Amino acid sequence: MKKLDAFDSIVVIIMLPFATIFSAWVTCQLWGWFIVPIFHLDPLSMIQALGLGLIIGYFAHQYVKQSLDMGDWIVFLWVKPAVFLIVGWFYHLFM
């Protein structure tokens, strides 16, 4: 696993806000599909989803000692939320 070079680091920094917004949007969708109908709570706004993600990340963060390469960052920032969205969409079809 190689360290990120300067260009890759800049790309990750530029991608981070967009990936964060995408992750918050995924959280809003999953919340709307599962939490709202089951617990009769209000849907989340994007800001609430960002805050919820921040809190969960704070409590559930796991330290990774080795550095991540560009492919790992792409999976972490984009693929993981997309997979959760697809699986959640499939599950909500059966509700």
Side-chain angles (χ1 to χ4, degrees), residues 41-57:
L41 297 175
D42 293 332
L44 287 181
S45 69
M46 287 290 288
I47 296 298
Q48 291 169 327
L50 286 167
L52 184 63
L54 185 68
I55 292 168
I56 292 170

Side-chain angles (χ1 to χ4, degrees), residues 14-83:
I14 291 170
M15 281 192 326
L16 193 57
F18 298 104
T20 302
I21 291 168
F22 176 63
S23 182
W25 181 79
V26 169
T27 301
C28 287
Q29 296 303 311
L30 294 173
W31 185 275
W33 289 337
F34 301 108
I35 303 300
V36 170
I38 294 170
F39 298 106
H40 306 290
L41 297 175
D42 293 332
L44 287 181
S45 69
M46 287 290 288
I47 296 298
Q48 291 169 327
L50 286 167
L52 184 63
L54 185 68
I55 292 168
I56 292 170
Y58 175 73
F59 288 116
H61 177 72
Q62 295 178 357
Y63 178 71
V64 179
K65 189 173 183 175
Q66 67 268 24
S67 61
L68 301 175
D69 64 10
M70 189 62 165
D72 293 332
W73 275 105
I74 290 172
V75 167
F76 177 72
L77 293 175
W78 296 102
V79 176
K80 180 181 173 184
V83 168

